[in-house]
């Protein structure tokens, strides 16, 4: 007879712990979420040796009353919900009551906590789920958790951990996500005694992005602000210059919770169509908030997946608002003076006092420098929260800060004050001519623009064709005699599955029995491509893009058709022809990138040229 055993509580807890506590990063996530739920405004996370040996989380939140401590460490104990009715209106990050019991089952835990009302705090220790002590102790308001020797009693688990440095980087990721989703809380992260991150907690998301990702990202993102009756979407999307080769820069927070979602990612990427090259992924940081009752966060123990109602509407809205935002303002890639290196930094600054540059430049630099100082002073309330003796003074602002700021200001002038591609501006364009039989140089206002004739023409053909398809304006041209084609069974299936694409393009096709089709009409505007070849290409594309939507296949096809049909580089064009291209560019929705995301034009401001030639120092 096989004997069926009843597992001990200790074994049950260890098994359960496996779901919630996978590695040090999961411990940090759970404990910081608890601190956030306890209304902390400042949270310090300290780890040693990747968090495997030591994790400390200190918060200034509500604290836990001594009488509640033991209960908090039992399984399924929580102060955040009462019953299942509350599951659909969760405003806290936690609610499953599993973290403390799971963590304490697989490590040695020390807890120091004090509520505001209590005179004394409490110190509690529990190791491998077994209580060791509970004493009164003097400590500040709030809670400190110290987790030592993670997985000391589950060696099999411990073996799966990676190198300390890798585990530390996972912890860092978690802290970053938590900081980005809670810009009103000041986060401090220390690894092996070194401060790695400090956010001000001033509630300004852009400041957090700056503190976490640095200047290059913070100065190349566009804000998103959208709301309707059941949701709001706020945050930032990156310009194409800061795109990545993977999705690590795509971050979504739903009701304050960092989540992973392929669907949200794809919706955003679709919004970038025409702005990014293939295999490039955008910087996305969006906080999506739904009203109560719409989100179900109880999908997985780690709570990184959610389900929500109206998913299709959410998806299409995301694509639309991102695309609109990217198209909203001129996005001409600027050829920034790249030699702004340390050396020229020094020359620039020393020259300010020694040589005498044009007074305009000095005034401008000084004005900008004081602007930065004022900004930094304004944004450092955390100096009061912590006794960190950082005093910001003019000396703390590096020269490259100032130069970068000047350059960004300059580019903003180009972006916002002059619009290169408007009817008004067009009258003032001075077409200088063609170079290398490939690029066109145009002077306008205080900048020189260089247009890539192939990319520009390709974009025109692409938008024109896409518009026709969208508006059902593709015409059909009857052919006599019709073309009969034979397909393999697989291709025939693909054809039947994506039939509507062929109709959208203007094909008129009927079954001809067996594995043959008869093409009676071809697209009216073929961009000089062979109709039979095009048919086969579309079939190939459709099978290649099977996983994604038929829309993707159409876009991809039109893009490659446009690329083939567009005027190539190394091709002498007349002034009349280039004028025609520029005229047509004016009418496009997004004239600044070709369908593959490459820029169609770049600009050099007079200021940058001046800098290159050291006229402006
Ligand atoms: P959950 O977060 O799902 O409620 P946990 O096991 O993470 O479950 O925590 C159990 C309870 O312990 C919480 O509901 C909360 O009341 C209390 N608690 C945990 N951490 C803190 C903290 N840092 N500050 C105040 N209370 C805390
Ligand atoms: Mg919790």
């Amino acid at each position: 007879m096989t004997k069926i055993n009843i597992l001990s509580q200790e074994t049950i807890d260890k098994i359960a712990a496996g779901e919630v506590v996978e590695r040090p990063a999961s411990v940090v996530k759970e404990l910081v979420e608890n601190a956030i739920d306890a209304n902390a405004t400042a949270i310090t996370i300290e780890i040693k040796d990747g968090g495997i040996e030591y994790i400390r989380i200190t918060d200034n939140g509500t604290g836990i009353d001594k009488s509640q401590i033991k209960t908090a460490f039992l399984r399924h104990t929580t102060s955040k919900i009462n019953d299942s009715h509350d599951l659909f209106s969760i405003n806290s990050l936690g609610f499953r009551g599993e973290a403390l019991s799971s963590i304490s089952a697989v490590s040695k835990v020390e807890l120091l906590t004090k509520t505001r009302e209590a005179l004394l705090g409490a110190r509690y220790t529990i190791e491998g789920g077994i209580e060791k002590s509970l004493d009164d102790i003097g400590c500040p308001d709030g809670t400190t958790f110290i987790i030592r020797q993670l997985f000391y009693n589950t060696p099999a688990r411990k073996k799966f951990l990676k190198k300390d440095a890798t585990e530390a980087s996972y912890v860092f990721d978690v802290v970053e996500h938590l900081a980005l989703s809670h810009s009103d809380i000041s986060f401090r992260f220390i690894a092996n005694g070194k401060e790695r991150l400090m956010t001000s907690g001033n509630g300004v998301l852009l400041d957090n992005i700056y503190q976490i990702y640095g200047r290059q990202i913070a100065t190349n993102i566009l804000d998103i602000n959208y709301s309707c009756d059941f949701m709001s979407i706020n945050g930032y999307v990156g310009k194409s210059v800061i795109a990545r080769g993977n999705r690590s820069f795509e971050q979504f927070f739903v009701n304050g919770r960092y989540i992973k979602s392929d669907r949200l990612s794809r919706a955003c990427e679709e919004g970038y169509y025409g702005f990014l090259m293939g295999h490039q992924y955008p910087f996305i940081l969006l906080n999506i908030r739904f009203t109560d009752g719409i989100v179900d966060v109880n999908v997985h123990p780690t709570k990184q997946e959610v389900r929500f109602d109206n998913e299709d509407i959410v998806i299409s809205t995301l694509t639309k608002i991102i695309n609109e935002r990217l198209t909203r303002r001129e996005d001409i890639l600027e050829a920034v003076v790249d030699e702004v290196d340390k050396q020229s930094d020094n020359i620039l600054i020393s020259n300010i006092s020694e040589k005498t540059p044009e007074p305009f430049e000095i005034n401008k630099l000084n004005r900008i420098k004081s602007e930065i100082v004022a900004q930094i002073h304004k944004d450092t309330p955390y100096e009061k929260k912590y006794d960190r003796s950082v005093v910001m003074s003019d000396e703390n602002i590096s020269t490259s800060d100032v130069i970068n700021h000047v350059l960004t200001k300059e580019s903003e002038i180009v972006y916002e004050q002059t619009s290169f591609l408007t009817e008004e501006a067009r009258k003032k364009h001075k077409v200088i001519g063609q170079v290398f039989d490939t690029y066109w140089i145009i002077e306008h206002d205080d900048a020189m623009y260089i247009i890539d004739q192939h990319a520009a023409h390709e974009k025109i053909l692409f938008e024109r064709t896409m518009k026709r398809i969208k508006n059902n304006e593709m015409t059909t041209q009857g052919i006599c005699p019709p073309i009969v084609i034979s397909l393999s069974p697989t291709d025939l299936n693909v054809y039947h599955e994506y039939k509507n694409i062929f109709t959208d393009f203007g094909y008129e096709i009927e079954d001809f029995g067996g594995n043959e089709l008869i093409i009676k009409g071809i697209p009216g505007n073929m961009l000089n491509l062979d109709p039979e070849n095009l048919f086969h290409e579309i079939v190939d594309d459709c099978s290649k893009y099977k996983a994604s939507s038929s829309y993707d296949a159409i876009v991809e096809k039109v893009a490659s058709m446009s690329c083939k049909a567009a005027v190539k580089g190394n091709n002498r064009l007349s002034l009349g022809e280039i004028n025609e291209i520029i005229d047509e560019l004016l009418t496009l929705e997004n004239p600044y990138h070709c369908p593959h995301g490459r820029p169609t034009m770049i600009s050099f401001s007079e200021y940058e040229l001046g800098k290159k030639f050291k006229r402006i120092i």
Side-chain angles (χ1 to χ4, degrees):
M1 184 190 77
T2 314
K3 186 168 171 262
I4 299 177
N5 300 311
I6 299 175
L7 299 177
S8 71
Q9 191 57 42
E10 198 191 331
T11 313
I12 294 173
D13 285 348
K14 272 191 191 170
I15 293 172
E19 284 195 338
V20 183
V21 187
E22 200 191 340
R23 52 181 8 111
S26 12
V27 174
V28 170
K29 173 178 175 288
E30 292 296 333
L31 295 183
V32 174
E33 286 187 350
N34 280 347
I36 295 171
D37 285 344
N39 296 325
T41 56
I43 302 170
T44 299
I45 300 107
E46 178 173 8
I47 60 167
K48 287 178 191 157
D49 307 325
I52 302 164
E53 287 308 309
Y54 182 93
I55 298 173
R56 173 176 68 90
I57 313 281
T58 297
D59 71 54
N60 62 355
T62 55
I64 308 172
D65 191 81
K66 191 179 170 195
S67 66
Q68 303 292 305
I69 292 177
K70 291 185 179 195
T71 317
F73 279 84
L74 298 177
R75 243 187 124 205
H76 306 306
T77 53
T78 178
S79 56
K80 298 167 194 176
I81 58 171
N82 284 317
D83 54 39
S84 64
H85 297 295
D86 296 338
L87 277 177
F88 285 87
S89 52
I90 290 172
N91 290 314
S92 55
L93 294 170
F95 61 87
R96 297 172 60 109
E98 290 177 321
L100 297 191
S101 65
S102 301
I103 295 168
S104 60
V106 291
S107 67
K108 299 180 178 175
V109 178
E110 179 179 350
L111 164 67
L112 301 160
T113 185
K114 179 182 169 301
T115 61
R116 224 137 289 177
E117 304 76 42
L119 286 175
L120 274 178
R123 176 173 178 275
Y124 179 71
T125 54
I126 174 168
E127 296 178 1
I130 297 160
E131 264 175 27
K132 293 287 170 181
S133 65
L134 174 60
D135 306 299
D136 289 333
I137 193 176
C139 62
D141 292 350
T143 303
T144 291
F145 273 97
I146 298 172
I147 313 300
R148 294 186 175 89
Q149 298 176 34
L150 185 61
F151 299 139
Y152 79 102
N153 54 353
T154 48
R157 273 258 151 194
K158 196 168 174 184
K159 260 205 277 192
F160 278 102
L161 294 180
K162 303 210 172 123
K163 280 191 308 216
D164 288 2
T166 313
E167 292 298 338
S169 75
Y170 293 149
V171 174
F172 205 173
D173 279 352
V174 163
V175 175
E176 275 178 12
H177 293 149
L178 289 160
L180 286 167
S181 52
H182 295 87
S183 50
D184 51 346
I185 298 176
S186 172
F187 284 84
R188 188 174 178 207
F189 176 51
I190 304 162
N192 286 343
K194 263 202 191 139
E195 185 178 287
R196 302 285 301 276
L197 177 72
M198 174 87 171
T199 67
S200 66
N202 66 1
V204 180
L205 178 59
L206 187 59
D207 285 1
N208 262 16
I209 293 177
Y210 188 103
Q211 278 145 353
I212 291 172
Y213 295 110
R215 168 187 310 279
Q216 222 240 337
I217 302 288
T219 52
N220 280 300
I221 51 181
L222 307 167
D223 62 321
I224 295 276
N225 295 296
Y226 170 88
S227 71
C228 64
D229 54 347
F230 66 93
M231 72 166 167
S232 65
I233 304 177
N234 296 289
Y236 291 90
V237 294
K239 294 187 195 168
S240 42
V241 279
I242 53 165
R244 282 283 155 121
N246 57 50
R247 280 184 167 165
S248 61
F249 262 12
E250 296 181 10
Q251 311 188 65
F252 302 99
F253 302 97
V254 170
N255 290 7
R257 196 185 294 280
Y258 171 73
I259 59 137
K260 293 192 171 131
S261 163
D262 267 5
R263 286 206 69 190
L264 294 184
S265 284
R266 267 190 269 127
C268 293
E269 286 157 14
E270 204 164 303
Y272 268 86
Y273 203 87
F275 285 89
L276 293 181
M277 293 198 227
H279 309 297
Q280 278 197 324
Y281 297 90
F283 175 94
I284 307 252
L285 203 159
L286 293 176
N287 286 301
I288 307 175
R289 286 211 162 263
F290 294 104
T291 46
D292 275 1
I294 288 185
V295 191
D296 180 4
V297 285
N298 191 23
V299 181
H300 189 267
T302 62
K303 296 164 285 186
Q304 287 204 3
E305 283 171 44
V306 294
R307 292 201 193 104
F308 39 88
D309 297 347
N310 304 331
E311 196 164 316
D312 288 341
I313 302 178
V314 176
I315 296 294
S316 58
T317 307
L318 259 182
T319 306
K320 191 167 132 257
I321 58 176
I322 290 183
N323 193 266
E324 278 173 4
R325 185 65 185 90
L326 294 170
T327 332
R328 197 157 90 203
R329 81 185 224 182
E330 291 206 357
D331 194 13
I332 301 177
L333 197 68
E334 235 186 310
V336 176
V337 183
D338 50 11
E339 292 90 327
V340 184
D341 55 15
K342 287 274 170 307
Q343 207 189 344
S344 51
D345 279 10
N346 294 338
I347 295 172
L348 182 90
I349 282 303
S350 57
N351 278 347
I352 288 179
S353 49
E354 288 159 27
K355 300 186 183 170
T356 42
E358 293 153 32
F360 167 74
E361 291 306 321
I362 287 195
N363 290 341
K364 185 157 148 185
L365 283 174
N366 286 342
R367 193 193 69 229
I368 288 164
K369 197 167 174 177
S370 55
E371 266 174 28
I372 305 175
V373 174
Q375 185 67 21
I376 291 174
H377 278 303
K378 196 174 102 220
D379 295 342
T380 39
Y382 64 79
E383 283 172 37
K384 288 182 208 117
K385 287 188 208 155
Y386 292 98
D387 56 351
R388 223 171 79 111
S389 52
V390 175
V391 182
M392 289 292 183
S393 71
D394 295 33
E395 283 70 38
N396 287 64
I397 313 293
S398 79
T399 317
S400 60
D401 277 350
V402 180
I403 295 173
N404 278 331
H405 216 83
V406 176
L407 291 180
T408 334
K409 289 266 151 161
E410 280 302 315
S411 62
E412 275 166 14
I413 292 168
V414 174
Y415 280 141
E416 278 156 17
Q417 294 184 355
T418 60
S419 271
F420 177 57
L421 285 179
T422 58
E423 297 281 349
E424 214 33 54
R426 181 74 181 102
K427 294 180 200 139
K428 290 192 266 163
H429 284 183
K430 208 157 117 196
V431 181
I432 308 294
Q434 191 189 33
V435 285
F436 309 125
D437 289 347
T438 301
Y439 307 104
W440 284 83
I441 297 184
I442 293 141
E443 180 188 328
H444 172 64
D445 266 6
D446 60 352
M448 176 178 88
Y449 295 81
I450 306 177
I451 297 184
D452 176 325
Q453 65 189 32
H454 170 73
H457 192 211
E458 181 184 0
K459 181 61 190 218
I460 291 168
L461 296 180
F462 175 79
E463 275 211 15
R464 222 195 260 159
T465 314
M466 284 308 289
K467 208 176 246 166
R468 282 210 190 107
I469 292 178
K470 199 163 117 197
N471 301 338
N472 282 327
E473 286 168 5
M474 289 299 269
T475 50
T476 304
Q477 188 190 321
I479 44 168
C480 190
I483 311 170
V484 176
I485 44 174
S486 306
L487 293 179
S488 70
T490 325
D491 284 353
L492 199 64
N493 274 342
V494 173
Y495 163 75
H496 280 293
E497 198 177 328
Y498 293 97
K499 223 173 181 164
N500 63 315
I501 293 187
F502 296 88
T503 323
D504 283 348
F505 269 96
Y507 276 103
E508 196 189 316
I509 302 175
E510 286 170 18
D511 287 322
F512 202 51
N515 56 353
E516 297 199 319
L517 297 174
I518 179 162
I519 302 182
K520 291 184 163 170
I522 58 167
N525 185 336
M526 290 291 302
L527 303 174
N528 298 327
L529 300 172
D530 177 81
E532 205 178 326
N533 277 349
L534 181 64
F535 175 89
H536 286 292
E537 279 176 21
I538 300 178
V539 170
D540 286 350
D541 277 0
C542 288
S543 38
K544 204 161 72 201
Y545 289 94
K546 227 174 165 68
S548 45
S549 65
S550 58
Y551 176 80
D552 284 352
I554 291 190
V555 169
E556 201 59 39
K557 189 69 247 152
V558 177
S560 77
M561 281 164 67
S562 313
C563 182
K564 273 189 202 155
V567 52
K568 302 284 180 297
N570 283 321
N571 220 323
R572 190 160 287 271
L573 295 190
S574 70
L575 193 63
E577 285 168 317
I578 192 63
N579 272 327
E580 219 171 273
I581 290 183
I582 301 174
D583 279 342
E584 187 128 18
L585 274 177
L586 296 187
T587 65
L588 303 188
E589 265 172 35
N590 167 23
Y592 308 105
H593 291 87
C594 85
H596 298 101
R598 287 193 299 275
T600 53
M601 61 189 82
I602 59 174
S603 77
F604 266 94
S605 68
E606 193 185 351
Y607 175 81
E608 283 154 19
L609 289 175
K611 272 190 71 64
K612 278 233 169 223
F613 288 106
K614 309 273 187 253
R615 279 171 173 274
I616 301 169
I617 12 176

